[in-house]
Amino acid sequence: MTLTASSSAPTLPAPRPDRPLLKVCGLKYPANVAAVAALPMDMLGFIFAPKSPRFALKSLDAAQMRALPVTKVGVFVNEAPAVIRRIALHFGLTAVQLHGQESPAVCAELRAAGLPVLKAIGVGAELHLQQLEAYAPHCDYFVFDTKGPAAGGNGTAFDWQLLRGYSLSTPYLLAGGLGPDNVAALRELHLPGLAGFDINSRVEQEPGLKNTALIQEFISELRG
């Protein structure tokens, strides 16, 4: 089955010159989803990787998800494209975020099926931007996250200055250890290609359960 532009799901937001985009990732519980969806952010992320403590497949309410008037991003790790498409249709996802070792061809296949693609890139002590050139034509955003024991949600930041030499046309979100305690530093970032931020583990009470007060604090301080 193919998603098309005529789908009732909202489109993936474009970068805005006047303010950074904000994605809250790792939501799991319906009541918490509703509470976070009421806050002024741009994207919500839902993890469909079985090994994640934020695995949401069995806890989300599909009818609620399809009715949410927000941008919904499904996060997958090395999942088969057919499975991704099936889950996206079931939950009314707007886009998918690929957080494993998916190839540029997989990204292209999902985009051809009508799903915008965010490709997560793990960053350690170094970042080899030339390795991303093959992905750039097939991705709407990159998500630069900190390499760690888990595919994401490790709660630590990498050296953001590694992105100072970014020259690709694909915009990106910054992830990894972002929360109210470092939002002042984020406001001062002026990196090429930076479109916004992806917050997760630093704004939750437990894996999958977000603290709406911390998210609101982050939003208020980030956008002033």
Side-chain angles (χ1 to χ4, degrees), residues 8 18 30 33 36 45 71 100 103 110 115 135-136 139 169 175 208:
S8 60
D18 57 325
V33 169
V36 176
T71 300
S103 68
L110 290 168
L115 285 167
Y135 285 92
C139 298
S169 60

Side-chain angles (χ1 to χ4, degrees), residues 14-87:
R16 294 182 51 167
D18 57 325
R19 68 171 177 84
L21 299 176
L22 179 60
K23 175 172 170 279
V24 178
C25 199
L27 293 150
K28 185 174 180 179
Y29 303 106
N32 194 227
V33 169
V36 176
L39 300 175
M41 84 282 301
D42 301 286
M43 292 177 264
L44 300 182
F46 304 90
I47 296 175
F48 295 98
K51 293 183 179 180
S52 171
R54 301 172 184 86
F55 180 54
L57 180 67
K58 298 179 180 179
S59 58
L60 292 175
D61 182 307
Q64 177 201 34
M65 287 282 291
R66 289 192 295 267
L68 284 174
V70 297
T71 300
K72 294 157 286 191
V73 180
V75 181
F76 300 87
V77 178
N78 299 324
E79 187 58 86
V83 174
I84 293 174
R85 293 196 302 271
R86 184 169 67 248
I87 292 174

Side-chain angles (χ1 to χ4, degrees), residues 4 14 18 50 57 60 67 69 88 100 102 122 127 139 141 144 151 167 175 180 187-188 195 205 212 219:
T4 69
D18 57 325
L57 180 67
L60 292 175
E102 299 87 0
L127 176 61
C139 298
Y141 286 94
F144 290 110
S167 59
R187 290 187 63 179
E188 298 302 315
Q205 297 166 227
T212 55
I219 295 171

